[in-house]
Amino acid sequence: MYSQGLTDAKGGDEPAELLAEFQAKIDREEKIEPRDWMPEAYRKTLIRQMSQHAHSEIVGQLPEGNWVTRAPSLKRKMILLAKIQDEAGHGLYIYSATETLGVTRDQLNDELLTGKAKYSSIFNYPTLSWADIGAVGWLVDGAAIMNQVPLCRTSYGPYSRSMIRICKEESFHQRQGYEIMTVLARGSKEQKDMAQRALNRFWWPSLMMFGPSDKDSKHSEQSMKWKIKRFTNDELRQKFIDATVPQAEHLGLTVPDPELKWNEQTGHYDHGEIDWNEFVNVIKGNGPCNKERMQARIKAHEEGAWVREAAQQYHANKKSEAA
Ligand code: 3HC
């Protein structure tokens, strides 16, 4: 179907009538499937977004993996292990959906491990306490749900279908995180202080998960037109803030934004400005854990080579036996 690699797509010179029919199909809310004709730019931006989404799922296991051996009880350890295992599955679903666009898993992996492809900035922050594991579930998975529920209606069929199952599992992730925060917030003073520090550390980086502001988002306009995105970055960010602030209040914790204030006129929370320099810096590779995360992924990939070779050899043997 597609022999082109990730980046040698030309695009933009397709016949106008084909482009018009494609857009009409999108406007009729028809799903685009792998074998359908699509503009090269549509294919390319899907590979970009979907592969980075999958990379985020895989890299996102690392900050949580840090606490498997230090979970405060067997129950917490089991829940955390189940969540991390889910994230691996989410990555595999989305990588498989991305491969339907004519790229290989090896190409995608290579893009990540050589630093060409991004993953969500949030995973470049450390998890310094057990409360951070609660804040990650509550805020990071909460933000992911806010972003992923609309993606269940994204125009590309395989991506949309992968999101439906992921969102069901994501809800468990968010609830277990909020439950950790609830136990801590209702615990001793030290525990509540630990929960507050975790909220302080993860609040702003979680807002950055929704991407740059709409005026600085280079892909949003086209992604909205192609119904890859159903809401803009700022719209989803605002929905997340509006839903999460009352949860923090219920915990008796303070959101670390002195400008946060309910606005009766708009029916939304007004909030302070995100530190976009921090956002850009972390994406550029200068976050607290960027290097550590890449080293861990490269090490895991190298150490896993024998498993891949054994699986491929097993498959080759099976094929020759069947021949
Ligand atoms: N971290 C890293 N890069 C980011 C970013 C972030 N938080 N936000 C935006 N960017 C990048 C974009 O990838 C793009 O760079 P690129 O051209 O090299 O790809 C650039 O900044 C400009 O941003 P745009 O808003 O123009 O880009 P998009 O239209 O792609 O919007 C997005 C960004 C909202 C993240 C969108 O890509 C998206 O919705 N992706 C799918 C969801 C996703 O990837 N979520 C990440 C977390 S997954 C997760 O949390 C798993 C959970 O189980 C824990």
Side-chain angles (χ1 to χ4, degrees):
M1 180 173 58
Y2 284 104
S3 55
Q4 289 174 328
L6 284 174
T7 54
D8 55 2
K10 302 288 171 291
D13 50 3
E14 294 103 343
E17 58 276 18
L18 267 180
L19 291 169
E21 171 42 32
F22 176 79
Q23 189 59 50
K25 198 169 172 183
I26 294 277
D27 295 342
R28 289 194 301 266
E29 293 290 343
E30 289 179 32
K31 283 282 178 275
I32 306 300
E33 297 299 337
R35 293 193 179 283
D36 292 345
W37 185 87
M38 60 184 82
E40 187 54 25
Y42 178 82
R43 183 181 83 91
K44 241 180 107 180
T45 205
L46 277 173
I47 291 172
R48 173 192 63 80
Q49 173 167 330
M50 291 168 67
S51 60
Q52 292 179 157
H53 194 162
H55 296 332
S56 302
E57 299 282 1
I58 300 299
V59 175
Q61 298 174 86
L62 294 169
E64 293 177 317
N66 188 23
W67 280 87
V68 168
T69 55
R70 295 183 284 167
S73 69
L74 180 59
K75 176 189 151 201
R76 293 293 182 195
K77 185 196 288 270
M78 288 165 66
I79 292 171
L80 184 55
L81 278 170
K83 177 181 188 307
I84 294 169
Q85 193 175 322
D86 281 351
E87 307 296 10
H90 296 178
L92 296 183
Y93 299 147
I94 306 172
Y95 279 134
S96 301
T98 312
E99 287 173 280
T100 64
L101 290 156
V103 291
T104 67
R105 186 73 57 90
D106 286 343
Q107 277 179 304
L108 299 175
N109 212 27
D110 180 60
E111 296 266 315
L112 173 66
L113 300 185
T114 55
K116 288 196 203 90
K118 295 182 171 74
Y119 56 88
S120 190
S121 50
I122 188 69
F123 298 121
N124 289 310
Y125 291 83
T127 44
L128 302 176
S129 73
W130 175 251
D132 284 6
I133 296 301
V136 165
W138 171 36
L139 300 174
V140 175
D141 288 80
I145 290 171
M146 201 57 86
N147 168 287
Q148 290 171 170
V149 166
L151 282 173
C152 293
R153 293 186 296 117
T154 193
S155 56
Y156 188 56
Y159 195 22
S160 135
R161 292 187 289 272
S162 74
M163 282 298 114
I164 292 165
R165 171 155 176 190
I166 286 176
C167 285
K168 289 188 173 70
E169 293 177 343
E170 217 66 274
S171 304
F172 143 65
H173 299 173
Q174 195 269 358
R175 294 316 298 163
Q176 64 83 37
Y178 192 65
E179 200 259 338
I180 290 173
M181 295 300 272
T182 304
V183 169
L184 293 172
R186 292 182 184 157
S188 64
K189 181 179 177 323
E190 290 74 16
Q191 286 175 318
K192 186 166 184 178
D193 290 349
M194 185 164 65
Q196 181 62 60
R197 288 194 300 273
L199 174 54
N200 295 345
R201 277 197 292 272
F202 277 90
W203 176 255
W204 292 103
S206 298
L207 299 190
M208 294 174 196
M209 288 175 66
F210 294 95
S213 60
D214 291 350
K215 64 180 175 37
D216 297 325
S217 169
K218 62 183 173 192
H219 298 295
S220 271
E221 190 184 345
Q222 184 59 65
S223 290
M224 291 289 285
K225 197 160 176 283
W226 279 332
K227 297 188 181 177
I228 293 171
K229 280 182 166 180
R230 293 293 186 160
F231 296 96
T232 69
N233 297 357
D234 287 336
E235 284 170 343
L236 286 180
R237 194 179 353 257
Q238 186 65 60
K239 283 162 87 84
F240 173 72
I241 292 169
D242 291 348
T244 311
V245 169
Q247 292 172 350
E249 287 168 353
H250 179 72
L251 293 174
L253 299 179
T254 307
V255 172
D257 176 0
E259 293 175 53
L260 194 71
K261 187 169 173 302
W262 180 252
N263 184 324
E264 278 305 335
Q265 266 66 47
T266 62
H268 296 293
Y269 281 94
D270 293 335
H271 58 87
E273 184 64 9
I274 288 169
D275 181 347
W276 294 113
N277 289 331
E278 176 182 336
F279 173 73
V280 170
N281 232 343
V282 173
I283 289 187
K284 273 191 185 146
N286 307 320
C289 298
N290 295 58
K291 287 177 188 54
E292 182 187 327
R293 300 291 183 240
M294 272 299 95
Q295 283 161 359
R297 279 299 311 129
I298 290 165
K299 183 169 180 286
H301 186 71
E302 285 167 356
E303 290 177 352
W306 71 271
V307 177
R308 294 191 295 275
E309 284 151 26
Q312 281 155 1
Q313 188 54 52
Y314 175 80
H315 179 67
N317 295 351
K318 278 284 171 205
K319 257 179 96 172
S320 61
E321 280 163 22

